Amino acid sequence: MSNPGMRRAAIGLTALAVTALGAVTTTPDQADAGPKPVAVKLLALNDFHGNLEPPSGSSGTIAGQPAGGAEYLATQLAELRKHAKKQNTITVAAGDLIGASPLLSAAFHDEPTIEALSLAGLDYASVGNHEFDEGADELLRIQNGGCHPVDGCVDGTPYEGAGFQYLSANAFKTASGQPLLAPYAIHKVQGVKVGFIGMTLEGTPRIVSQQGVAGLTFADEAQTANRYARELRRQGVETIVVLLHEGGTQDATGGINDCKGISGPIVDIANRMDPSIDVVVSGHTHQAYNCDINGKLVTSASSFGRLVTDIDLSIDRRTGDVISAKAENVVVTRNVAPDRAQTDLINRYKTVLGPVAGREVGQTTTEIKKTQESLFGTTLGESPLGNLIADAQLAATDDEQGAVAAFMNPGGVRADLDAGPVTYEEAFTVQPFANNLVTLDLTGVQLYCLLEQQFVTARTLYPSSTVRYVVDPAGTTGTTADACAGTRVVRGSLTLGGVAVTPDATYRVTVNNFLSGGGDGFTVLTGGTNAVTGMIDLDAFVAYLTAESPVSAPALDRIRTTAEVPAA
């Protein structure tokens, strides 16, 4: 592969213990009295997840328009740069550029995505939780280059590394206490310094496999941002931008440039950030918003390259302070000319990938969505596609390992299935993590605790067709330390294969290895016994699609409420 060239500015590698400095602001009137301000344009994206080609189904539209695809993203970025001096434009991203990717990127360990974003002119990116999917060493290889240690150079050409700088301020090597990657960068524009601090969410270890975060410690987002903001100001940087892979959600009625009822972790984090921080480019929640939180411009560009956030900063040339900041989320439409270099890159990798991607593995009678139904006013309900995957995992382990139930985590269901023929590539896009199935013994008490943990973690485990239970909306939620104390799941309502679960009995249950390791906060599963590791989850899904075709969307009747099933 060719390396489009590094566009790296001064990279901060150490932090100094300094006292907090108050923010200096410049008013427009003061700016008018001096030299003309410097206009800086930031072009931002997040949660690309290797979507080189336009996503299918609802994942490929936004604001009522078909959107996304690297060919069109590169064109849109080039067009937006025309509205500013090229040297005054900085392109940034807020993590999860790779991981949970479609087959075209994942088959090559996401090297195609890194090459595509480098070609598109990306300058800086924070790490996200999915950058750690294959561990710290692999992330360093993605940054610095070199062939994969096991698979080699899969496409037959050397991998030169990223043409942009990953920033990782709050992921530290546990042994040394040093940041895994550069925590910040300083970029000069017409003599004015712009500082970028990059971070992932502090909770990364809870949502990534333990192998992925081995040897690493993750720190609080606001505290880390404030620490490095102080260091940047000691170096004469007054314009500070945080690239943060954590986000929020606005009300469903909000548009891509609204900020209606914004909630979620980003609100607390922004409120705890130092006043010297001017802009927060956020991500992780796959939402679009354009907010002012605590005097800071806070943005997010949804996901999959469907939006670009166009941010205009006016900076006082004398003081380096931001005079004004405004943003607009711009749809990456597909009614423009595709970028030729991106088209060539995609076609090259499709040729190397060969015919395996287009092999038909099954049929669906209708579109099967990953969307969760509402459960007493929350999104804690079942998912048609999630249920289908749980059924596939049970089918792969019932005779083989004696499993009587299976549970699937929602974060592992990545895309919808369209109606009609299903290709291997489409199945892979739904389940791209290559997790192994693990079948283990749980007692009845542990099963109830597992279900109660759903309400502590705010994540539903999609159940196989053998599972039925009733939820009480008026029940109490347990704590992280004692989920079993919760009373959301009506005792006596849990059945497996129509037989009531009893506290002391033991049951064989199948999950993936991410869950069996306590992922997503389901720590009850780490207490399972007699664990047997089985096939890859994708292989189980493909086998089920082939054996059961044509497949229909399962009914959403496995989790019910006391309103539907009155207490006896």
Side-chain angles (χ1 to χ4, degrees), residues 265-310:
I266 194 63
V267 178
D268 172 66
I269 294 169
N271 280 328
R272 292 189 292 118
M273 282 182 174
D274 190 85
S276 63
I277 294 170
D278 302 290
V279 179
V280 180
V281 175
S282 66
H284 187 55
T285 57
H286 291 201
Q287 301 295 305
Y289 45 81
N290 188 347
C291 297
D292 183 327
I293 302 175
N294 191 26
K296 307 177 194 310
L297 180 64
V298 180
T299 67
S300 180
S302 188
S303 60
F304 307 148
R306 295 174 293 170
L307 294 177
V308 171
T309 308
D310 183 2

Side-chain angles (χ1 to χ4, degrees), residues 537-551:
D537 53 5
L538 174 63
D539 294 339
F541 186 45
V542 167
Y544 188 80
L545 290 172
T546 301
E548 302 296 328
S549 284
V551 175

Side-chain angles (χ1 to χ4, degrees), residues 17 44 138 147 180 185 323 388 407 421 470 490:
E138 174 64 2
C147 295
L180 178 66
I323 301 168
L388 183 70
F407 295 95
V470 178
V490 176

